Amino acid sequence: MAVAPWPMNGPPEKQGSIDPMEEYDLYINVKQPAIGIYVRKGAQLPDLTDKGDWVFDGTSAQDLLPSSVIEGVKADGHAFRDMD
């Protein structure tokens, strides 16, 4: 039977520490409020032709968002979401 080199809660230098959860900023399109765009917290909006149409609507923790949003932000730096 194989034995792990350290307990299941990670290597000694990581024990007792909590990794910070990613957070994402949401912007809503004022002309089409059913459309939202997420970026990493503190990141700028991508180059949009209608950048003035987007207003900040808050920050969400990663565990409150669909995996498709997280994957989109990781791949492209932003992810659109139907807010309806």
Side-chain angles (χ1 to χ4, degrees):
M1 179 167 110
V3 177
W6 48 74
M8 296 300 289
N9 59 349
E13 66 273 8
K14 289 280 190 173
Q15 292 178 18
S17 67
I18 298 174
D19 291 331
M21 184 170 294
E22 292 277 337
E23 292 183 310
Y24 299 87
D25 289 341
L26 169 63
Y27 292 84
I28 298 290
N29 187 302
V30 294
K31 292 182 180 175
Q32 298 176 332
I35 300 174
I37 185 171
Y38 284 92
V39 296
R40 289 189 194 278
K41 183 178 179 182
Q44 299 295 317
L45 283 173
D47 289 334
L48 301 170
T49 57
D50 58 351
K51 200 176 246 187
D53 293 346
W54 298 90
V55 293
F56 179 74
D57 193 55
T59 301
S60 295
Q62 151 181 337
D63 64 341
L64 299 176
L65 299 174
S67 60
S68 60
V69 168
I70 306 305
E71 291 165 7
V73 172
K74 285 182 181 179
D76 301 320
H78 66 277
F80 289 98
R81 181 177 180 193
D82 181 351
M83 304 307 289
D84 281 340

